[in-house]
C-alpha cells in the first residue's frame, strides 16, 4: 500500500506529535509499506526529523517531497542517516526569474539547486519534478539539462488539477492543447511524461475488467486534518482518523468500497472509447467534474494530443452540439 501523508498544518506540540506517531503506528499495523511525506513544505515542521525517524523505526519506505529551500548540508546528512528512499524536489525553470516568480520566493532556485547538490553529496536518490504550465512551458528542456548536469532523475508533469476545495481558478495555468501536443510528441520525453496510475491487467484479463486507477486500492491520502481520501487528487471524504482507526476506514468505508467496485466497463462514456486501455484517466479529476464514473476532460485532451484520435467524450460533445474538451481547455487558458 502506498500512502501519501501531508504534515505541514499539524502543530508541533507534544500532543500533535503523539497523534501523528499513533497514526503511523496504525498504518504500520495495517500493512502500509510505502509512505510519502509532502506539504506544503514538510521541512517547516520543527519535528520533521522526529517524525521521519519514527516512520523509519516502523520500517516504512519513506519518500519526501520538498522544494529543497530549507535543506542545507546538515539536513541532507540527517536525511541520509534516516535512510530516506528518495527526495523529490520541485524545479519549475532553470531560469531564476521564472522559477522564483512561480514560487514567489526570491533566490529559491539557487537554494533549491544547492539542496540538490547537498543531497547528492550524501549519496541520496533525488528526482527533479517539473510541473509544466503556461508560464514555464518553454523551459522544460533547460530543467532537463539541469537535472542531467546535477546527475539526478527528471520527471515532467503537464497536469494542472483543481484545488482540494474544488477551486478551479488554478486551471488557468494549463498549457494550450497545441503546445501539449509538442510535449507528447517530443522524443526526449518518451517514457518520462506521465505515470499510469492504473495497475496493469493480468495476462489474458479483459481490459473491461481492469481497474481504472490504484486510488483506494493500493494507495490513499491523509490530509493535515486526518481526513482520508482515495488519493491526493481524489477529494472524496472517506473517513477521519480523529474519529476512526485507519483499519476501520480502509476496510469499512462505504466511499472506498464504491471506488473499489468500479471497473472500466462501469464507465458509461470511457468504456466505449478507443483510448480505454491506454488513457491516463484520473477518477479524481472526473469526480471533481461531477462524476467519478465520467470522463476526465484533461485526460481526454492528453489522449487526443498523444494520438490525434478524438476520445468518445470529445465526439459525444461534438454530436451534442457542445464544445469538446480541447476547446474548453484553451478557453480556460
Amino acid at each position: 500500500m502506498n500512502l501519501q501523508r501531508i504534515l505541514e498544518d499539524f502543530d508541533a506540540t507534544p500532543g500533535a506529535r503523539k497523534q501523528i506517531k499513533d497514526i503511523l503506528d496504525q498504518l504500520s499495523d495495517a500493512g502500509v509499506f510505502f509512505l510519502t511525506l509532502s506539504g506544503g513544505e514538510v521541512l517547516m515542521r520543527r519535528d520533521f526529523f522526529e517524525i521521519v525517524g519514527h516512520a523509519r523505526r516502523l520500517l516504512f519506505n519513506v519518500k519526501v517531497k520538498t522544494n529543497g529551500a530549507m535543506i542545507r548540508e546538515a539536513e541532507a546528512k540527517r536525511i541520509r542517516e534516516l535512510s530516506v528512499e528518495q527526495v523529490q524536489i520541485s524545479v519549475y525553470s532553470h531560469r531564476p526569474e521564472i522559477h522564483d516568480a512561480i514560487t514567489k520566493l526570491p533566490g529559491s532556485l539557487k537554494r533549491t539547486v544547492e539542496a540538490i547538490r547537498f543531497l547528492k553529496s550524501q549519496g541520496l536518490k533525488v528526482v527533479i519534478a517539473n510541473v509544466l504550465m503556461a508560464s514555464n512551458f518553454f523551459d522544460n528542456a533547460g530543467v532537463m539539462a539541469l537535472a542531467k548536469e546535477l546527475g539526478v532523475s527528471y520527471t515532467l508533469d503537464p497536469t494542472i488539477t483543481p484545488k482540494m476545495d474544488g477551486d478551479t481558478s488554478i486551471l488557468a495555468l494549463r498549457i494550450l492543447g497545441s503546445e501539449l501536443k509538442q510535449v507528447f510528441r517530443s522524443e526526449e520525453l518518451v517514457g518520462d511524461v506521465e505515470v499510469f496510475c492504473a495497475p496493469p491487467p493480468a495476462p489474458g484479463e479483459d481490459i473491461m475488467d481492469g481497474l481504472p486507477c490504484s486510488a483506494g486500492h493500493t494507495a490513499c491520502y491523509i490530509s493535515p486534518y486526518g481526513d482520508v481520501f482515495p488519493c491526493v487528487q481524489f477529494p472524496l471524504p472517506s473517513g477521519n482518523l480523529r474519529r476512526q482507526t485507519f483499519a476501520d476506514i480502509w476496510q469499512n468505508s462505504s466511499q472506498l468500497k464504491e471506488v473499489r467496485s468500479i471497473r472500466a466497463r462501469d464507465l458509461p462514456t470511457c468504456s466505449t472509447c478507443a483510448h480505454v486501455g491506454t488513457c491516463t484517466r484520473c477518477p479524481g479529476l472526473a469526480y471533481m467534474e461531477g462524476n467519478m464514473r465520467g470522463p476526465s476532460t484533461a485526460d481526454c485532451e492528453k489522449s487526443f494530443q498523444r494520438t490525434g484520435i478524438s476520445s468518445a467524450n470529445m465526439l459525444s460533445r461534438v454530436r451534442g452540439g457542445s464544445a469538446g474538451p480541447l476547446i474548453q481547455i484553451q478557453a480556460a487558458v
Side-chain angles (χ1 to χ4, degrees), residues 87-153:
V87 181
Q88 178 179 299
I89 296 185
S90 300
V91 177
Y92 299 98
S93 172
H94 62 296
R95 296 185 290 165
E97 63 270 23
I98 300 299
H99 177 91
D100 294 359
I102 291 173
T103 63
K104 303 186 186 304
L105 182 62
S108 59
L109 178 61
K110 180 177 183 294
R111 290 159 64 179
T112 293
V113 171
E114 288 175 349
I116 294 172
R117 295 190 192 280
F118 286 138
L119 292 166
K120 282 290 293 180
S121 73
Q122 295 298 316
L124 285 155
K125 180 180 180 181
V126 181
V127 176
I128 283 179
N130 183 195
V131 177
L132 200 62
M133 58 190 84
S135 60
N136 68 347
F137 172 72
F138 296 104
D139 290 359
N140 64 286
V143 178
M144 190 184 303
L146 176 63
K148 185 175 181 180
E149 174 193 335
L150 295 170
V152 301
S153 299

Side-chain angles (χ1 to χ4, degrees), residues 193-327:
V193 175
E194 280 200 286
V195 175
F196 196 8
C197 294
E205 180 183 48
D206 186 337
I207 193 66
M208 291 300 174
D209 293 324
L211 300 176
C213 180
S214 62
H217 291 272
T218 60
C220 69
Y221 161 76
I222 300 176
S223 81
Y225 310 104
D227 295 307
V228 177
F229 302 97
C231 174
V232 69
Q233 290 182 180
F234 198 161
L236 173 67
S238 303
N240 185 280
L241 291 170
R242 288 171 172 165
R243 296 187 294 272
Q244 303 163 267
T245 65
F246 178 77
D248 180 34
I249 295 170
W250 186 254
Q251 295 168 11
N252 301 314
S253 165
S254 60
Q255 293 85 0
L256 291 179
K257 286 181 178 179
E258 180 182 7
V259 170
R260 291 170 187 151
S261 72
I262 300 172
R263 297 295 183 269
R265 67 174 70 257
D266 301 318
L267 309 176
T269 300
C270 299
S271 62
T272 68
C273 184
H275 300 291
V276 66
T278 58
C279 179
T280 57
R281 174 190 173 275
C282 173
L285 295 183
Y287 173 78
M288 283 188 269
E289 289 186 36
N291 182 2
M292 73 172 77
R293 290 174 173 80
S296 159
T297 55
D299 291 301
C300 292
E301 170 75 3
K302 286 183 284 187
S303 289
F304 173 71
Q305 295 300 341
R306 272 196 298 264
T307 65
I309 300 172
S310 296
S311 70
N313 181 40
M314 297 173 75
L315 293 172
S316 67
R317 287 172 176 269
V318 171
R319 287 194 295 269
S322 62
L326 174 60
I327 296 174

